[in-house]
């Protein structure tokens, strides 16, 4: 059997956590989780089962990973431009032996419950050995509109569902056979590449050409731009007949927005006032909330965000507007 390899995807910028998260230092590298970063926690969490790490990350911030990678056997693949997860995973698969089993994890998720996590991963590895493409579904605890869902029966996937509205999310929870889509995957390198070539030959061909032309692990920008930008769910997982899901019971959050970060910080004892308002970041100033409930003030050296926690998913629109303006604040 080949090696067990943790493929860590670190190309995102965390736009919904602006202004904390920036292109130069996105959320996965912020040391705000008991003074560790989500990236470091990802490495540590997978070390008990993985022989090697392959990091696929952005040229804009790949150097931020260097210190944490020193502790493990690793390779780095540097993306010149982001082309979404189907291509990013293809680069990692192309870099490995065909029989290597890839455990593909985002770099910016918070997971607690190591025993349950490793139990799920080991189950996934067994399915992957038999040629399945494995995804991990999280047992939902609330009607969440910020996550995709997997409709399942045992280990069989019936359908993948996009992020629902609140009423639909309540129906999913009530039905009892829907899981949150964690974005964590497990499969042989060869299985992934075969299915990608089968279902999306354009992504496969362009990714392979880009990988083959890489110099010292750095991908060519012009060739990269020719790769269709597609998620692994859309390119393969929603279409393949070789999918298995492992229902999982570890505590999981994608830490994608300030409502997730709020819940984490408050659970860890971060100060909040009697109306549920909190301040994130250092200001050196006394901050008072009057007539407000469940609000978040985020302070950085060059920007301040004031928001109702209920609007956490909309921060990305602020980021997108700044991006259109070519603002130095992103």
């Amino acid at each position: 059997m080949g090696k067990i390899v943790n493929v860590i995807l670190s190309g995102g910028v965390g736009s919904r956590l602006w202004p904390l998260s920036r292109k130069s230092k996105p959320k996965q590298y912020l040391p705000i989780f008991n003074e560790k970063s989500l990236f470091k926690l990802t490495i540590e969490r997978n070390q008990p089962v993985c022989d090697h790490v392959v990091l696929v990350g952005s040229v804009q911030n790949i150097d931020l990973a260097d210190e944490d990678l020193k502790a493990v056997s690793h390779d780095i693949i540097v993306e010149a431009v982001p082309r979404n997860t189907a291509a990013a995973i293809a680069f990692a698969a192309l870099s490995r032996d065909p029989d290597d089993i890839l455990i593909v994890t985002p770099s910016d998720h918070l997971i607690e419950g190591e025993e349950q996590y490793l139990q799920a991963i080991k189950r996934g590895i067994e399915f992957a050995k038999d040629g399945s493409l494995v995804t991990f579904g999280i047992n939902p605890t609330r009607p969440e509109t910020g996550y995709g869902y997997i409709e399942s029966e045992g280990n069989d996937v019936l359908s993948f569902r996009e992020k629902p509205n609140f009423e639909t999310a309540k129906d999913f929870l009530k039905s009892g056979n829907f899981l949150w889509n964690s974005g964590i995957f497990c499969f042989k390198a060869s299985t992934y590449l075969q299915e990608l070539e089968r279902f999306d030959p354009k992504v496969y061909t362009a990714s392979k050409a880009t990988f083959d032309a890489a110099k010292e692990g750095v991908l060519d920008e012009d060739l990269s731009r020719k790769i269709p930008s597609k998620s692994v769910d859309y390119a393969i997982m929603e279409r393949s007949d070789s999918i298995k899901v492992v229902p999982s019971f570890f505590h999981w959050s994608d830490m994608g927005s300030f409502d997730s970060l709020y819940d984490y910080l408050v659970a860890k004892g971060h100060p909040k006032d009697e109306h549920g308002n909190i301040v994130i970041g250092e200001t050196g100033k006394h901050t008072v909330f009057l007539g407000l409930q469940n609000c978040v003030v985020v302070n950085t050296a060059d920007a301040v965000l004031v928001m109702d926690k209920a609007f956490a998913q909309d921060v990305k629109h602020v980021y997108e507007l700044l991006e259109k303006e070519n603002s130095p604040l992103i």
Side-chain angles (χ1 to χ4, degrees):
M1 192 187 81
K3 288 185 175 182
I4 311 290
V5 179
N6 182 198
V7 175
I8 302 179
L9 306 180
S10 188
V13 297
S15 59
R16 288 177 293 165
L17 282 180
W18 181 90
L20 283 185
S21 187
R22 310 288 180 104
K23 285 182 177 178
S24 59
K25 193 166 187 177
K27 63 175 178 174
Q28 59 266 33
Y29 297 116
L30 300 173
I32 57 177
F33 301 90
N34 288 334
E35 299 185 0
K36 291 184 179 181
S37 68
L38 292 171
F39 179 73
K40 184 177 181 65
L41 290 170
T42 302
I43 293 174
E44 292 178 351
R45 180 166 57 247
N46 291 286
Q47 266 189 284
V49 289
C50 293
D51 307 302
H52 190 78
V53 170
V54 174
L55 171 62
V56 185
S58 167
V59 68
Q60 294 177 310
N61 51 54
I62 199 80
D63 56 311
L64 298 176
D66 289 347
E67 188 63 33
D68 293 330
L69 287 172
K70 286 178 182 177
V72 293
S73 168
H74 68 274
D75 293 307
I76 299 174
I77 298 171
V78 184
E79 292 184 297
V81 289
R83 303 313 294 159
N84 218 316
T85 52
I89 298 169
F91 300 142
L94 288 162
S95 76
R96 302 305 307 171
D97 290 338
D99 284 338
D100 284 353
I101 290 177
L102 311 182
I103 297 169
V104 180
T105 62
S107 59
D108 54 1
H109 289 184
L110 182 71
I111 290 173
E112 296 175 313
E114 183 180 355
E115 187 178 330
Q116 295 97 322
Y117 176 77
L118 293 176
Q119 189 176 42
I121 292 296
K122 288 172 183 176
R123 182 81 174 111
I125 289 170
E126 293 307 310
F127 280 126
K129 287 177 183 175
D130 292 334
S132 294
L133 296 168
V134 183
T135 185
F136 296 84
I138 308 299
N139 188 48
T141 57
R142 62 184 184 276
E144 173 62 56
T145 60
Y147 302 152
Y149 285 73
I150 300 168
E151 183 184 12
S152 64
E153 190 174 291
N155 296 114
D156 295 324
V157 174
L158 303 180
S159 68
F160 286 85
R161 303 293 185 92
E162 297 297 323
K163 296 174 183 177
N165 60 35
F166 188 69
E167 290 303 315
T168 303
K170 285 201 295 186
D171 290 341
F172 286 173
L173 198 65
K174 196 183 299 181
S175 76
N177 67 327
F178 283 84
L179 303 165
W180 288 335
N181 187 349
S182 71
I184 302 170
F185 307 100
C186 181
F187 31 66
K188 284 183 184 176
S190 57
T191 303
Y192 179 80
L193 293 173
Q194 286 163 10
E195 293 294 272
L196 182 61
E197 187 173 22
R198 176 184 171 197
F199 289 107
D200 209 317
K202 288 183 179 178
V203 171
Y204 171 82
T205 302
S207 297
K208 189 172 187 311
T210 303
F211 179 80
D212 289 344
K215 294 179 180 176
E216 298 181 350
V218 181
L219 303 172
D220 180 81
E221 183 173 347
D222 291 336
L223 288 173
S224 295
R225 291 189 185 280
K226 295 177 182 177
I227 303 171
S229 180
K230 293 186 181 181
S231 71
V232 63
D233 281 335
Y234 185 74
I236 300 178
M237 303 302 282
E238 295 177 7
R239 303 160 77 182
S240 174
D241 50 8
S242 299
I243 309 295
K244 291 290 182 184
V245 63
V246 175
S248 306
F249 298 91
F250 49 85
H251 176 78
W252 170 89
S253 171
D254 73 349
M255 279 295 142
S257 54
F258 279 111
D259 49 356
S260 300
L261 185 57
Y262 176 103
D263 291 343
Y264 170 82
L265 291 173
V266 168
K268 297 296 182 184
H270 189 87
K272 67 172 181 174
D273 72 12
E274 60 184 315
H275 300 295
N277 302 301
I278 73 169
V279 178
I280 300 174
E282 296 298 325
T283 64
K285 294 179 181 177
H286 184 61
T287 303
V288 178
F289 298 84
L290 283 177
L292 300 173
Q293 293 182 332
N294 298 318
C295 286
V296 180
V297 171
V298 185
N299 282 287
T300 66
D302 57 358
V304 178
L305 173 69
V306 183
M307 57 169 278
D308 183 321
K309 186 164 72 80
F311 289 82
Q313 299 295 329
D314 294 336
V315 176
K316 65 181 178 184
H317 301 312
V318 178
Y319 184 94
E320 288 164 358
L321 184 63
L322 291 169
E323 195 169 34
K324 281 181 185 174
E325 297 169 352
N326 291 318
S327 171
L329 293 173
I330 62 169

